[in-house]
Amino acid sequence: CAPKLINDYYGHNMIEISDLGNKSFHDFIIKKKDKFKNYKDLIKLILKVQKIKIKKKYKFGKYEIKLKSYSLRNLHKESDLFFDWYLKYNLKIKNITRIKKNLKNELNNIYKKIYFKNAYFTHRDFHASNIMIRKKKLCIIDSQDAIIGNPLYDLASLIDDVRIKLPNKLKKDLFNYYVAKSKFKNNYNILKNDFDIL
């Protein structure tokens, strides 16, 4: 499920939506020892989201919205956060221009190895804190950054969520579960390639 639209103030950059409560998947899962079963439900949700048919335009009240396609530029914009928020503080040097340029060139080469084209509905912020549990149903919130993207993007966001450190074995099991359930199950190496890059 997802929040229902109550009032549309889109012209003022605001909407009013239904409240899905305060029980997040993060709060539910954080103390559980065996997380695999519940994470499988989230992977099923990702696969369901990926089946949404992409339209050229979506109606939002009297407004029309067009989802943008994820691009190389988007990837660089996201990885730039590493330079802006981490690198200059970690190295404790002011001028990181040369390091940034070299790393960006390397990242560019890596990003060009992504196999899947951007053709899937992608939430783009799919992690445990953005999944609410309401009447035993999993509900997605915070979807304003949705985009047409790579099918592995949301999976990488979920499995490598910085808010919940999952053991490597569980990460591997969850990835394998996604592969087994996805329509790309015969393309393990390609899926792993894109997952690792993203």
Side-chain angles (χ1 to χ4, degrees), residues 161-178:
D161 185 353
V162 295
R163 299 157 195 84
I164 301 177
K165 297 290 183 191
L166 299 179
N168 288 333
K169 185 186 180 309
L170 178 55
K171 288 184 180 185
K172 187 177 179 181
D173 289 346
L174 290 169
F175 176 79
N176 289 339
Y177 180 78
Y178 173 87

